[in-house]
Amino acid sequence: MLTIGLIKEGKVPTDNRVALTPPQCKWLLKNRPDVRVLVQSSPGRCYSDAEYRQAGVTVTDDVSGCDILLGIKEVPIEQLLPHKTYLFFSHTKKKQPYNRAMLHTMMDRGITLIDYECLEHEDGQRIIGFGFFAGVVGAHNGMMAYGNRTGAYQLGHVYQHKDYRALIHTYFGLKLPNIKIAVTGSGRVAHGILEIMNLMDVQEVEPEDYLGRKFTYPVYVHLKGRNLYRHQVTGEYMREHFHHHPEEYDCLFPQFSTCTDILMNGTYWAEGVPRLFEWEHLLRDDFAIQTIADITDDKGGSIPCNLGDATIQDPVYGVNKRNREKTPPYLIDNIDIMAVGNLPNELPRDASRYFGEQLIKHILADLLGNGSDTLDRATILEAGKLTPYFDYLQDYAAR
């Protein structure tokens, strides 16, 4: 019999999401008699210990007897148990320096690491994640920031509402000014942004109309890869080629910056991918953007003026366009940035339910069975050693 453990989140600030909700654990126990589930006691989860107990799940402080440990964020070094299989968002695939010591410890302790972020379909699409709710919360926060800046309308914080359904009710009667919003990206984050655009009755328009027309109602344009990037020689956009050779492409977004009030950024970014704009663009007289919701939140990434994370309680800061320093938000000559690394924590129960559904539907059978190519491609460490799929991390993993 395999034992799965839901671990207590140890990273500070503590994440309140879970990989499996109490009803999902109950379903698992009923339908997989070969599986045992333990939940490590935690006061900070969006689902309480009592709710897990009511679902028939054992709650304990000791998960050392588990075979597979499911978390959300990075596990503190002192909490890593030797020779276990862990699943969590490790934030190591881009060689993030702040998690290098954690990877070294996992190697020393013979740990197998499967990263949720690397679980992909054959075409490269992510299988599970919290991206949709990151998009929902990020879009709401971006709209909230613009309302605070202009005084045209007012929105409260997402975390002040019980759940997603309660949040939606706050949009009834909301009247937005005649603004233009640019939405970038094509994954789950972008889908969450578009959900809020539709709920707020913002109308979609084509790129050419967005650039060339004025409207008497709020509109948004959805910019995907083919709208944002062009090969420097052929003038075309080829998705697969772009992902392998992004340095050969120019970004077309600056033309949209001249008529955009709010930018909702949902694009994936990695080293070599052209930024949406550069610092110099901020100083142009025709740069119109006042508020940026950088929902994918890469510091200094696709949004160069992302100076790092804000918090759920205080999600917006200003940036001085000339000296490039952080300021209080909503100052006239500055640009406002909404950048929060744990946006789904504002709707933790909804986000956890969605995440667990995808985990059960697409991953759990392989995880509890004989494995799969999908799992292999997401396994960064096997018993403490880098797998062939992550050979490129050799220098990062070296001492």
Side-chain angles (χ1 to χ4, degrees):
M1 176 175 285
L2 275 174
T3 303
I4 295 176
L6 298 187
I7 59 176
K8 175 182 177 180
E9 294 295 316
K11 184 177 180 180
V12 178
T14 303
D15 202 289
N16 58 1
R17 294 169 289 174
V18 295
L20 293 171
T21 68
Q24 289 164 352
C25 290
K26 184 177 182 178
W27 180 93
L28 189 58
L29 292 171
K30 179 181 179 181
N31 290 276
R32 291 296 301 253
D34 57 332
V35 172
R36 184 176 177 226
V37 180
L38 299 180
V39 173
Q40 192 172 28
S41 179
S42 172
R45 284 196 188 98
C46 60
Y47 291 94
S48 67
D49 288 354
E51 287 177 284
Y52 281 102
R53 291 192 183 99
Q54 289 166 9
V57 183
T58 300
V59 178
T60 178
D61 290 320
D62 183 11
V63 291
S64 61
C66 296
D67 305 291
I68 299 169
L69 296 168
L70 305 179
I72 300 298
K73 288 293 186 75
E74 302 96 317
V75 179
I77 288 172
E78 63 276 9
Q79 296 178 20
L80 289 166
L81 299 176
H83 310 298
K84 303 295 182 183
T85 294
Y86 279 89
L87 281 80
F88 58 86
F89 291 102
S90 74
H91 298 116
T92 56
K93 63 175 286 188
K94 297 181 186 177
K95 302 183 180 182
Q96 289 93 324
Y98 50 89
N99 285 327
R100 192 178 185 190
M102 180 191 69
L103 188 72
H104 287 163
T105 301
M106 299 183 87
M107 295 171 71
D108 293 340
R109 297 182 184 175
I111 289 170
T112 295
L113 169 62
I114 301 172
D115 195 315
Y116 295 132
E117 188 179 358
C118 302
L119 291 166
E120 298 178 339
H121 294 292
E122 290 184 2
D123 64 357
Q125 284 288 94
R126 291 264 300 274
I127 293 176
I128 60 175
F130 293 98
F132 176 80
F133 283 99
V136 164
V137 176
H140 175 100
N141 286 354
M143 298 301 293
M144 177 181 70
Y146 186 81
N148 290 344
R149 181 184 182 92
T150 62
Y153 56 90
Q154 190 169 23
L155 290 169
H157 291 274
V158 174
Y159 67 81
Q160 296 171 330
H161 303 91
K162 177 183 177 182
D163 54 23
Y164 186 36
R165 180 177 297 179
L167 176 69
I168 290 173
H169 284 295
T170 66
Y171 301 150
F172 297 159
L174 175 66
K175 183 171 175 55
L176 298 174
N178 304 335
I179 53 178
K180 285 185 172 182
I181 303 168
V183 177
T184 63
S186 57
R188 282 195 175 93
V189 170
H191 293 159
I193 300 171
L194 298 180
E195 176 88 352
I196 295 301
M197 293 297 95
N198 294 327
L199 288 169
M200 289 187 176
D201 198 27
V202 183
Q203 302 300 307
E204 182 177 11
V205 296
E206 293 299 316
E208 55 270 22
D209 290 331
Y210 186 89
L211 289 170
R213 287 182 53 191
K214 292 185 177 181
F215 296 87
T216 57
Y217 47 88
V219 299
Y220 75 89
V221 63
H222 185 195
L223 303 174
K224 302 179 182 180
R226 66 179 180 274
N227 309 117
L228 289 173
Y229 306 106
R230 180 177 59 198
H231 193 270
Q232 295 165 358
V233 176
T234 67
E236 298 178 355
Y237 173 79
M238 296 166 286
R239 183 177 180 273
E240 194 68 24
H241 185 268
F242 171 76
H243 285 294
H244 287 95
H245 305 282
E247 71 283 353
E248 297 181 15
Y249 288 75
D250 290 325
C251 185
L252 305 176
F253 180 77
Q255 64 183 320
F256 292 94
S257 71
T258 64
C259 56
T260 294
D261 299 294
I262 305 170
L263 168 59
M264 303 282 190
N265 181 38
T267 54
Y268 173 82
W269 187 82
E271 288 292 340
V273 176
R275 291 179 170 84
L276 293 181
F277 57 88
E278 298 296 339
W279 277 103
E280 293 73 21
H281 289 99
L282 294 172
L283 299 176
R284 294 182 180 179
D285 292 337
D286 61 354
F287 188 90
I289 300 172
Q290 299 182 65
T291 301
I292 298 177
D294 189 10
I295 299 165
T296 45
D297 189 24
D298 291 292
K299 180 180 178 181
S302 53
I303 305 296
C305 49
N306 178 337
L307 301 182
D309 276 356
T311 65
I312 284 176
Q313 290 73 25
D314 192 14
V316 185
Y317 56 82
V319 174
N320 185 300
K321 300 177 184 180
R322 297 191 180 278
N323 65 23
R324 305 182 182 183
E325 293 181 355
K326 189 179 293 188
T327 72
Y330 316 132
L331 301 180
I332 293 176
D333 294 328
N334 295 354
I335 191 166
D336 292 324
I337 305 295
M338 193 294 302
V340 177
N342 57 344
L343 288 166
N345 277 33
E346 295 200 54
L347 291 173
R349 291 172 75 96
D350 297 275
S352 296
R353 190 182 309 117
Y354 177 81
F355 183 89
E357 287 173 1
Q358 304 308 307
L359 183 63
I360 290 172
K361 186 184 299 183
H362 298 292
I363 300 301
L364 211 58
D366 293 338
L367 187 64
L368 302 177
N370 297 318
S372 64
D373 289 341
T374 298
L375 280 178
D376 289 344
R377 292 193 301 270
T379 303
I380 295 177
L381 297 176
E382 179 72 41
K385 299 186 183 302
L386 285 177
T387 64
Y389 290 102
F390 293 90
D391 271 346
Y392 71 92
L393 294 177
Q394 288 286 356
D395 58 336
Y396 177 68
R399 306 297 170 147

